[in-house]
Amino acid sequence: MDSILLAHGSGGKLQSDLLEKVILKHIKNPIINLLEDSAYLSVNKSKIAFTTDSYVVNPLFFPGGNIGKLAVCGTVNDLLCIGAKPLYLSLGLIIEEGFDYERFEKIIASIASEAKNAGVKIVCGDTKVVEHGKGDGIYINTAGIGEIKHYFSPQKIETGDFIIVTGNIGDHGIALLSERQKLKFKTPIISDVANLTGISDILFKNSGIHCMRDPTRGGIGGILKEIALKSSIEIEINEKSIPINPGVSSICEILGIDPLYLANEGKFIIFSKEEKIVSTLKHTKLGKNAAVIGRVIKKDQKGKVILLTKVGGKRIIDIPRGELLPRIC
Amino acid sequence: MDSILLAHGSGGKLQSDLLEKVILKHIKNPIINLLEDSAYLSVNKSKIAFTTDSYVVNPLFFPGGNIGKLAVCGTVNDLLCIGAKPLYLSLGLIIEEGFDYERFEKIIASIASEAKNAGVKIVCGDTKVVEHGKGDGIYINTAGIGEIKHYFSPQKIETGDFIIVTGNIGDHGIALLSERQKLKFKTPIISDVANLTGISDILFKNSGIHCMRDPTRGGIGGILKEIALKSSIEIEINEKSIPINPGVSSICEILGIDPLYLANEGKFIIFSKEEKIVSTLKHTKLGKNAAVIGRVIKKDQKGKVILLTKVGGKRIIDIPRGELLPRIC
């Protein structure tokens, strides 16, 4: 391999190769953990969670949000995922020379309002400007610190665990695709981008939850395969139980896209020993379409993910190699 | 103003305007503090420091280092500055499609070795890839967490404080300039990029230190003016006391560059009530050229910075408006 490809950044096979064969070859320590989106740290006896994401979404504004809202929600959700209460964010901006001042201010205003909505404080930041043609409007990095309240981890997953998704899948992917390709639909598809602090109380109070993840790049297919592989479990999911907006479903059929690999930006995949949390989630705005979509079948396996299709067949779900849509987040 | 200019990212007047008129207009809270490079946080009774920087340096490799080494040193030094022991870093990579794999691995190897050298752990990360022509090889963001050991702050500065610089100024700026302009000198100028953990024990043990800062973008001129303005003090510095490599000095004279505004990546500016720390620093590798360069003359002033020139005149030092060299870090 001579150079970096777009697919190295799309959450699939090439990305994990890059991570394992280059980055982790050099950077190794007992804390860095591929199983988690956030790191568990101790600072002077306090347990804190630490995570980071850069956002390079294209277009910067899309139905349902913009890169600023995404940069807050994505990092907040990564902290919630491992059982941490999000507290503080950093904000790193890389702006392309010539970027419109008004659009810049709109993005900053979204960041501020979403941080308020999520109950986090933006406490430090940095601004860099690169020459025109060396960026794409604006790239944003947020790092986040949270206080660990619970310990959710793929390592806690048990045979029989229910696999729950907190709502319709694929909305973010299709919203981006429509905006980018200028596709017009009768009912426009809106990105699901949202911070999930609104359901975190329910999730943190539930003792049955073993593991949570936000299925962003790579979609629920990518994330389930990743968890299955790294936790050595076998998973079965039912296509007919997977909640999906009928509009998203039709577009996927027409364009031949697998919705399992479409990005989500306001959803969790939950592994729980109880399914009753679904009925509680259904009473919330962010979880009203929550559903059990499958079970953990066996442990100590090679990480097979089986999809029982609507027509009664079986399909093996693998890690996506590249991605239909680069720069989804 | 219609659009973002390169100068909005160069650490001068336009940058602080952007920060105050747009970013802080929206994002305000009791923790965010323009006086500091890092935020002071409480998480479950522990006091931690949190900081972030994105690195967009051009060229990626320069005499004395590369963007990877810079990304570790810069963030580590920002934590040391406020009196924190650096512990953990995050690593956010934005790679341009087509970036050479071998150069990528060299950068990652530098990050790993510099983190080891600084005694910090890289504990979480993220990798994004953007299309060719939408980046410039690689941009790196690091955020850092440290444990607060001391409290250094511009607010603690007193009349009579000695102003100390820990070594020669301007090496980083001239190393970058030479590399970019393909200038050849008899003795090549090497960037001073270094993490300053090696002198942190000396600094943390010294009870006389009131404030520390790393004079990166904007140089010692920019940082002194910024501190003077925000702490409402008047400062006098002596040109003849400022340590500078004779090579850097000649290049500055030939090209008409003011070394006070050149970036440094391995130096601190220290405000201390005692000057004896200079002799201790002089016994270290990182501080061997340390010198007292001036004093705090008065408090409750309008932030004047006076340079007593070598020829016996006085010059007023102001915040640089733009910068000679964009993308210095």
Side-chain angles (χ1 to χ4, degrees):
Chain A
M1 192 158 11
D2 299 328
S3 67
I4 304 286
L5 310 174
L6 267 180
H8 280 114
S10 60
K13 177 82 178 69
L14 282 178
Q15 176 144 20
S16 60
D17 281 357
L18 187 74
L19 198 58
E20 283 170 29
K21 291 181 189 161
V22 185
I23 303 182
L24 292 177
K25 181 177 127 188
H26 295 280
I27 299 168
K28 253 193 183 160
N29 59 59
I31 297 171
I32 204 162
N33 184 345
L34 280 185
L35 288 174
E36 318 283 1
D37 274 345
S38 302
Y40 290 87
L41 309 177
S42 292
V43 181
N44 192 15
K45 290 179 196 158
S46 291
K47 300 287 174 203
I48 68 172
F50 187 30
T51 190
T52 191
D53 261 318
S54 296
Y55 298 85
V56 299
V57 67
N58 171 26
L60 297 172
F61 291 78
F62 48 81
N66 62 50
I67 189 171
K69 182 176 182 182
L70 192 63
V72 173
C73 295
T75 296
V76 162
N77 292 345
D78 276 347
L79 290 170
L80 291 172
C81 261
I82 66 158
K85 178 180 157 62
L87 295 175
Y88 305 112
L89 296 188
S90 66
L91 178 66
L93 306 172
I94 300 177
I95 315 172
E96 186 188 9
E97 183 187 14
F99 185 56
D100 182 67
Y101 208 81
E102 209 176 297
R103 280 161 67 89
F104 176 68
E105 184 159 2
K106 268 188 195 159
I107 290 167
I108 298 297
S110 287
I111 290 172
S113 101
E114 198 61 29
K116 199 173 167 193
N117 179 260
V120 294
K121 287 190 176 67
I122 291 161
V123 293
C124 55
D126 173 58
T127 305
K128 294 281 156 48
V129 181
V130 295
E131 298 88 346
H132 184 70
K134 301 287 184 191
D136 198 10
I138 188 168
Y139 298 141
I140 300 179
N141 176 284
T142 46
I145 291 179
E147 186 182 352
I148 292 174
K149 296 286 190 183
H150 289 265
Y151 177 57
F152 302 139
S153 163
Q155 285 153 333
K156 297 177 80 179
I157 294 172
E158 292 294 340
T159 303
D161 274 4
F162 294 92
I163 301 170
I164 296 160
V165 64
T166 58
N168 292 344
I169 67 161
D171 291 358
H172 183 70
I174 294 297
L176 264 280
L177 179 75
S178 327
E179 187 67 17
R180 228 185 276 176
Q181 309 293 334
K182 305 285 168 215
L183 305 177
K184 298 274 174 220
F185 304 112
K186 247 188 268 175
T187 319
I189 306 298
I190 309 293
S191 164
D192 61 339
V193 57
N195 78 73
L196 295 170
T197 46
I199 54 170
S200 63
D201 273 358
I202 294 173
L203 302 171
F204 287 5
K205 269 185 209 149
N206 187 293
S207 60
I209 294 180
H210 290 147
C211 172
M212 288 211 296
R213 271 304 183 79
D214 54 339
T216 56
R217 279 185 288 181
I220 67 163
I223 209 79
L224 287 174
K225 181 65 187 175
E226 193 186 315
I227 292 178
L229 271 178
K230 293 190 176 147
S231 320
S232 309
I233 53 173
E234 188 171 310
I235 285 173
E236 209 169 68
I237 54 172
N238 293 292
E239 193 176 15
K240 65 167 190 266
S241 314
I242 300 172
I244 186 165
N245 174 334
V248 170
S249 186
S250 327
I251 296 163
C252 285
E253 271 178 42
I254 294 166
L255 300 177
I257 295 169
D258 188 342
L260 292 186
Y261 294 127
L262 282 175
N264 310 278
E265 290 292 346
K267 299 290 149 37
F268 283 142
I269 287 278
I270 301 168
F271 287 74
S272 170
K273 71 174 177 191
E274 295 154 359
E275 58 180 323
K276 66 175 188 213
I277 192 171
V278 171
S279 52
T280 317
L281 285 171
K282 278 182 174 297
H283 290 101
T284 66
K285 197 180 155 199
L286 291 164
K288 64 176 188 291
N289 296 312
V292 172
I293 62 166
R295 302 289 291 268
V296 175
I297 301 303
K298 297 178 211 162
K299 284 189 77 169
D300 306 315
Q301 301 298 311
K302 288 184 178 163
K304 198 185 272 184
V305 178
I306 302 156
L307 177 77
L308 304 176
T309 65
K310 280 180 189 166
V311 292
K314 280 188 180 189
R315 220 182 93 202
I316 301 300
I317 302 297
D318 211 342
I319 290 262
R321 270 203 71 84
E323 197 182 15
L324 177 72
L325 290 169
R327 297 179 57 191
I328 202 79
C329 59
Chain B
M1 193 160 7
D2 297 328
S3 67
I4 305 287
L5 309 174
L6 268 180
H8 279 114
S10 60
K13 176 84 175 71
L14 282 178
Q15 177 145 18
S16 61
D17 282 357
L18 186 74
L19 198 57
E20 282 169 30
K21 291 182 188 158
V22 185
I23 302 183
L24 291 178
K25 181 177 128 190
H26 295 281
I27 299 168
K28 253 194 184 161
N29 59 60
I31 297 171
I32 204 161
N33 183 345
L34 280 187
L35 288 175
E36 318 283 1
D37 274 345
S38 303
Y40 291 87
L41 308 177
S42 292
V43 180
N44 192 15
K45 289 179 196 158
S46 291
K47 300 286 175 204
I48 68 173
F50 186 31
T51 189
T52 191
D53 261 319
S54 296
Y55 298 85
V56 299
V57 66
N58 171 26
L60 297 173
F61 291 80
F62 48 81
N66 63 49
I67 189 171
K69 182 176 182 182
L70 192 64
V72 173
C73 295
T75 296
V76 162
N77 291 346
D78 277 347
L79 291 171
L80 291 172
C81 261
I82 65 159
K85 177 181 160 58
L87 296 175
Y88 306 111
L89 296 188
S90 66
L91 178 66
L93 307 171
I94 299 177
I95 315 171
E96 187 189 8
E97 182 186 15
F99 185 55
D100 182 66
Y101 208 79
E102 209 176 298
R103 280 161 67 88
F104 176 67
E105 184 159 4
K106 270 187 193 158
I107 290 167
I108 297 297
S110 287
I111 290 171
S113 101
E114 198 61 28
K116 198 174 167 192
N117 180 261
V120 293
K121 287 190 177 68
I122 291 162
V123 293
C124 54
D126 174 57
T127 306
K128 294 280 156 52
V129 181
V130 295
E131 296 88 347
H132 183 70
K134 302 288 184 191
D136 198 9
I138 188 168
Y139 297 141
I140 300 180
N141 176 284
T142 46
I145 291 180
E147 187 182 350
I148 292 174
K149 297 284 189 185
H150 289 266
Y151 176 59
F152 302 139
S153 163
Q155 285 153 332
K156 296 177 81 178
I157 294 172
E158 291 294 340
T159 302
D161 274 3
F162 295 91
I163 301 170
I164 296 159
V165 65
T166 58
N168 293 344
I169 67 160
D171 291 358
H172 183 72
I174 294 297
L176 264 279
L177 180 74
S178 327
E179 186 68 17
R180 228 185 277 177
Q181 309 292 334
K182 305 285 167 214
L183 306 176
K184 299 274 173 219
F185 305 113
K186 249 188 265 174
T187 319
I189 306 299
I190 309 293
S191 165
D192 62 339
V193 57
N195 78 73
L196 295 170
T197 45
I199 53 170
S200 63
D201 273 358
I202 295 173
L203 302 171
F204 287 5
K205 269 185 208 148
N206 187 293
S207 60
I209 294 180
H210 290 148
C211 172
M212 288 210 296
R213 270 305 182 80
D214 52 340
T216 57
R217 278 185 288 183
I220 68 162
I223 208 79
L224 287 174
K225 180 66 186 175
E226 193 188 315
I227 292 178
L229 272 178
K230 292 189 177 149
S231 321
S232 309
I233 53 173
E234 187 171 311
I235 286 173
E236 209 169 70
I237 54 173
N238 292 292
E239 192 176 14
K240 65 168 191 266
S241 315
I242 300 172
I244 185 164
N245 175 334
V248 169
S249 185
S250 327
I251 297 164
C252 285
E253 270 178 43
I254 295 166
L255 300 178
I257 295 170
D258 188 341
L260 293 185
Y261 294 127
L262 282 175
N264 310 277
E265 291 292 345
K267 300 289 151 35
F268 283 141
I269 287 278
I270 301 168
F271 288 75
S272 169
K273 71 175 177 191
E274 296 154 357
E275 58 180 323
K276 66 174 187 217
I277 192 169
V278 171
S279 52
T280 317
L281 284 171
K282 277 182 176 298
H283 290 101
T284 66
K285 196 181 155 197
L286 291 164
K288 63 179 188 290
N289 297 312
V292 172
I293 61 166
R295 301 289 292 266
V296 175
I297 302 302
K298 299 178 210 161
K299 283 190 75 170
D300 306 315
Q301 301 298 311
K302 286 184 181 162
K304 199 185 272 186
V305 178
I306 303 156
L307 177 78
L308 305 175
T309 66
K310 281 179 187 165
V311 293
K314 282 190 180 185
R315 219 183 92 202
I316 302 300
I317 302 297
D318 211 340
I319 290 263
R321 271 203 69 83
E323 196 181 15
L324 177 71
L325 290 169
R327 297 181 53 193
I328 201 82
C329 59

